[in-house]
Amino acid sequence: MEEVRQSSAWVVHNSSHVTIDSSGIEKVVEKMKDSIPKVEWDYEGIHYFDNGPLTVQYLFVLDALNFCFWPDKDLNYDHLAKGLKDALLNDNSAFDADRLQKYTGPQLRELLKWPRPLPLEEERVRLLHEVGFELERSFEGKASKLVESCGKSAVKLVALVTRHFPGFRDHSVYKGHQVFLYKRAQIFASDLWGAFKGQGYGEFNDICSITMFADYIVPAVLQQLGVLKYSSTLANAIQASSEIGAGTEEEIELRACSIYAVEKMRELLSIKSGKQVLSVELDLWLWSVGVQCPSLQHHRTLSIYY
Ligand SMILES: Nc1nc2c(c(CN[C@H]3C=C[C@H](O)[C@@H]3O)cn2[C@@H]2O[C@H](COP(=O)(O)O)[C@@H](O)[C@H]2O)c(=O)[nH]1
């Protein structure tokens, strides 16, 4: 994920609204270095898992829809993961490529047992259709074929997913530079790695290449830990729950600075603890801290990418 690392670093060095406090990083790392909190994947028990190709299909559909829950204050990621799991347990052909191409908004809502329209529902349906269509056209309808063709490389998987599925091309143009963030494509690789415990469909020789997943929870946790500092205008906008436009400098800086800060935390932690620490492991820990803190104020951007 060199393009994610490099383009995020460029944003950090040209940033106007968000800065990284290296003394904040040092303090967090100092506290964590002797016992890096290990968070088990699916500690909540909400994901479908059968150790086979249907799990891969489930995770791909999950990550195709894994964005923007906040506009409905009662909806969160767990509803999506659990809703899709129950749908599959009820009907194991629910995510076949031909079926994915036919869902309507009300049918998706019904599948997830959600009583009202989902945020960005039309986009969610469009993305489901895109996944079904391209899986059918290029991968015999199976996300497992997509994964098998990557030769145990997470980097190749992210490249292949972003090449074939435009909805996963999470990038932006910042001060004239193209910035790659690839949150959902990377989280798909990480979900496979976590679910299959680094074996079978989850075996990647380069899982260390994956960066953190720039969503709306982890930046807020990093700010609370004193790792990220916001300009007063940005801090006020977040505090007031004002919407921050997709593609604005503020939004890209929040996400890119988070990626860079977690890379710096990982480097320092690896040195201080004498063990290789993965960005994925740090992400899972930071995210679990965030979702357990209901008062956390996060930025609000309408986006299909996270
Ligand atoms: N950085 C990062 N962001 C993550 C996840 C996950 C789920 N990972 C699961 C996979 C295995 C584990 O067991 C985890 O349970 C979701 N998100 C993002 O959070 C937001 C949802 O927030 P709320 O509206 O409060 O539910 C939304 O942008 C969503 O895309 C993660 O791991 N890291």
Side-chain angles (χ1 to χ4, degrees):
M1 292 298 89
E2 258 335 281
E3 58 200 342
V4 175
R5 286 199 176 78
Q6 277 173 16
S7 59
S8 295
W10 197 89
V11 174
V12 171
H13 295 123
N14 292 277
S15 181
S16 311
H17 313 273
V18 181
T19 49
I20 297 174
D21 184 342
S22 43
S23 67
I25 293 186
E26 274 165 37
K27 273 189 214 136
V28 178
V29 166
E30 200 51 45
K31 271 198 214 139
M32 288 171 73
K33 71 176 195 304
D34 300 320
S35 64
I36 301 160
K38 270 251 185 287
V39 178
E40 205 195 323
W41 194 86
D42 196 33
Y43 59 90
E44 322 91 324
I46 52 175
H47 297 91
Y48 177 85
F49 187 71
D50 66 3
N51 207 21
L54 194 53
T55 301
V56 182
Q57 194 87 355
Y58 163 81
L59 291 174
F60 197 47
V61 170
L62 171 68
D63 286 324
L65 303 178
N66 184 2
F67 58 87
C68 205
F69 303 98
W70 61 264
D72 185 327
K73 68 175 177 24
D74 298 319
L75 182 71
N76 60 41
Y77 170 80
D78 292 15
H79 293 111
L80 177 70
K82 179 83 170 47
L84 294 176
K85 173 187 180 180
D86 292 344
L88 206 50
L89 289 174
N90 193 37
D91 172 3
N92 65 10
S93 61
F95 302 154
D96 284 3
D98 56 333
R99 300 272 302 275
L100 291 176
Q101 293 173 69
K102 293 196 194 107
Y103 282 107
T104 63
Q107 283 167 346
L108 177 62
R109 232 180 276 163
E110 155 113 36
L111 198 74
L112 298 173
K113 306 259 174 300
W114 197 249
R116 46 186 180 273
L118 297 157
L120 303 179
E121 186 172 271
E122 271 182 38
E123 285 297 278
R124 290 189 144 87
V125 167
R126 185 182 65 76
L127 292 165
L128 269 189
H129 295 181
E130 180 182 287
V131 162
F133 176 81
E134 188 56 20
L135 281 180
E136 192 167 279
R137 195 175 75 99
S138 303
F139 301 99
E140 298 166 43
K142 301 205 169 356
S144 55
K145 295 279 172 202
L146 166 81
V147 177
E148 280 162 11
S149 65
C150 293
K152 300 183 179 147
S153 164
V155 172
K156 277 199 191 142
L157 180 61
V158 171
L160 202 64
V161 167
T162 52
R163 192 184 315 147
H164 281 271
F165 302 89
F168 281 86
R169 279 178 213 157
D170 173 11
H171 74 136
S172 245
V173 178
Y174 173 84
K175 298 184 180 176
H177 281 242
Q178 192 172 15
V179 179
F180 303 92
L181 302 158
Y182 289 164
K183 185 244 176 191
R184 292 196 285 104
Q186 293 200 82
I187 216 171
F188 173 54
S190 152
D191 282 343
L192 288 163
W193 179 75
F196 290 91
K197 299 200 186 320
Q199 305 290 316
Y201 291 112
E203 187 179 352
F204 297 113
N205 299 323
D206 54 0
I207 193 70
C208 60
S209 305
I210 297 286
T211 69
M212 62 74 76
F213 319 116
D215 66 347
Y216 48 88
I217 302 286
V218 177
V221 175
L222 291 173
Q223 193 254 349
Q224 217 170 48
L225 291 173
V227 169
L228 294 186
K229 297 268 152 61
Y230 301 162
S231 68
S232 55
T233 344
L234 177 58
N236 290 339
I238 295 175
Q239 202 60 34
S241 301
S242 309
E243 205 180 305
I244 294 176
T248 57
E249 285 182 8
E250 287 86 343
E251 190 228 6
I252 302 167
E253 290 180 16
L254 283 163
R255 301 186 70 206
C257 291
S258 297
I259 291 175
Y260 188 85
V262 171
E263 288 304 304
K264 291 290 146 199
M265 285 170 75
R266 178 182 62 76
E267 283 166 19
L268 198 59
L269 252 177
S270 298
I271 294 168
K272 296 223 171 181
S273 69
K275 290 183 213 133
Q276 195 200 30
V277 179
L278 304 174
S279 296
V280 182
E281 293 170 321
L282 275 180
D283 175 277
L284 210 50
W285 171 67
L286 291 163
W287 189 75
S288 69
V289 170
V291 286
Q292 283 164 43
C293 174
S295 63
L296 196 74
Q297 283 278 4
H298 61 74
H299 74 280
R300 281 153 208 268
T301 296
L302 280 177
S303 172
I304 62 156
Y305 293 135
Y306 65 101

